[in-house]
Amino acid sequence: MAAQKINEALEHIAKAEKYLKTGFLKWKPDYDSAATEYGKAAVAFKNAKQFDQAREACLREAEAHENNKALFHAAKAYEQAGMMLKEMQRLPEAVQLIEKASMMYLENGTPDTAAIALERAGKLIENVSPEKAVQLYQQAASVFENEERLRQALEMLGKASRLLVRGRRLDEAALSLQKEKSIYKEIENYPTCYKKTIAQVLVHLHRNDYVAAERCVRESYSIPGFNGSEDCAALEQLLEGYDQQDQDQVSEVCNLPLFKYMDNDVSGQFLCFFIIFLLSEFQRDFYAEEESKERFMYLLQLTLSSYPVPMNFLYFLLCYLPL
């Protein structure tokens, strides 16, 4: 079966090369027909699981479409070449080709397709290079925003924000969350604005920037319905506990459903913040009061019982606990 498909692909390649030849009675290559044959060859190679040859056929198809000024079809071929590289686990090279396809979609006047391609590239590279994925998602968000497709832009910004939080790139995460909140406010989705404010505050506190966290809450009073909401009350309680170094008050906020059932990455960020807060207090008076150890362990167990704790976080605790 595979040998049959390979032979079929080679026949299509031969036909494509024949279409590209010129002669006394044929002054111009037939790029359109050649591109069609290269496309058929790529499909046959793919079915035979000859992904490198399929990639090469896709690139030849793209070149033929470019020579024929058919940018959209050229972009599609480059994108398919990227998918062949994905099958070979050559993800950075795959992303490069998909980015090239995205630029051609933009040049062709099809920005939505360009943004979708950028999102696809981000998904491919997310586990290998989160930094690159963030860049791709932000580019996709920018394209969607320019086209006034704000909901799609928000989806891309949300993916970027989660990766930034997960990667502890907190300064950038704070800016990304602010961008999200501004757009949610623009489309009058105020309840989601409240949730983004919570995420912002947690990120700022994890950065040890109480002033920025407090300013974030203060500025959110202008959002309709925020002042007096459950979210606002919880944040005010959290900031008060943080400012007064009150472990019990912070622990009480930590165990509110409002925080437990947030996005996993942000919820995990809050758990990290709370543990670091406890540790800083515990280390300060560990040798002064024996009861501080019991109190610390009680609050720690109370909090961990409410959250799924990944193994890398347990490792973090083992490294930092002064026991």
Side-chain angles (χ1 to χ4, degrees), residues 56-256:
E56 183 62 32
C58 287
L59 291 176
R60 292 189 187 183
E61 179 190 1
E63 184 180 356
H65 281 308
E66 280 190 89
N67 288 328
N68 204 34
K69 310 300 181 187
L71 292 182
F72 182 84
H73 294 296
K76 279 289 183 187
Y78 279 123
E79 202 172 349
Q80 282 302 307
M83 292 299 102
M84 295 307 101
L85 286 165
K86 174 201 169 188
E87 295 292 340
M88 294 184 282
Q89 297 301 309
R90 291 160 60 180
L91 298 182
E93 294 174 73
V95 166
Q96 285 181 355
L97 283 179
I98 298 174
E99 281 188 282
K100 183 173 183 176
S102 173
M103 294 299 295
M104 295 184 78
Y105 287 134
L106 287 173
E107 190 178 347
N108 184 65
T110 49
D112 287 357
T113 312
I116 292 169
L118 289 169
E119 180 188 7
R120 187 175 293 118
K123 287 179 180 177
L124 282 183
I125 204 71
E126 191 172 299
N127 293 326
V128 177
S129 176
E131 297 83 4
K132 183 63 177 178
V134 167
Q135 178 191 334
L136 291 164
Y137 288 142
Q138 289 174 336
Q139 287 176 348
S142 179
V143 174
F144 278 131
E145 189 177 3
N146 288 339
E147 294 302 304
E148 298 185 349
R149 295 186 60 181
L150 298 184
R151 296 188 187 280
Q152 288 83 356
L154 284 167
E155 184 182 348
M156 295 299 101
L157 286 171
K159 290 184 177 185
S161 296
R162 284 190 287 275
L163 285 177
L164 288 168
V165 170
R166 196 179 303 165
R168 302 293 187 265
R169 296 163 61 185
L170 300 182
D171 291 350
E172 296 169 80
L175 293 174
S176 184
L177 287 165
Q178 179 60 43
K179 176 72 172 175
E180 283 188 75
K181 189 167 80 171
S182 298
I183 297 178
Y184 277 117
K185 187 176 180 181
E186 184 180 340
I187 63 176
E188 300 183 353
N189 186 340
Y190 300 129
T192 305
C193 288
Y194 309 162
K195 304 306 177 190
K196 295 303 172 183
T197 300
I198 291 176
Q200 280 184 290
V201 168
L202 298 180
V203 167
H204 286 313
L205 290 179
H206 201 69
R207 294 169 59 234
N208 200 29
D209 192 342
Y210 174 82
V211 174
E214 186 181 38
R215 183 173 62 248
C216 180
V217 173
R218 191 168 59 248
E219 290 173 351
S220 295
Y221 290 146
S222 64
I223 300 172
F226 178 74
N227 194 5
S229 68
E230 178 189 13
D231 307 73
C232 180
L235 287 175
E236 289 174 343
Q237 186 182 355
L238 174 64
L239 289 174
E240 181 183 10
Y242 182 91
D243 188 41
Q244 296 179 4
Q245 299 292 291
D246 187 332
Q247 295 179 0
D248 294 310
Q249 185 165 329
V250 173
S251 177
E252 183 181 343
V253 177
C254 180
N255 285 285
L256 290 174

Side-chain angles (χ1 to χ4, degrees), residues 12-21 34 37-38 60:
H12 288 302
I13 294 287
K15 288 180 182 178
E17 291 174 350
K18 186 175 179 181
Y19 281 124
L20 292 175
K21 288 180 180 178
E37 293 299 330
Y38 281 131
R60 292 189 187 183

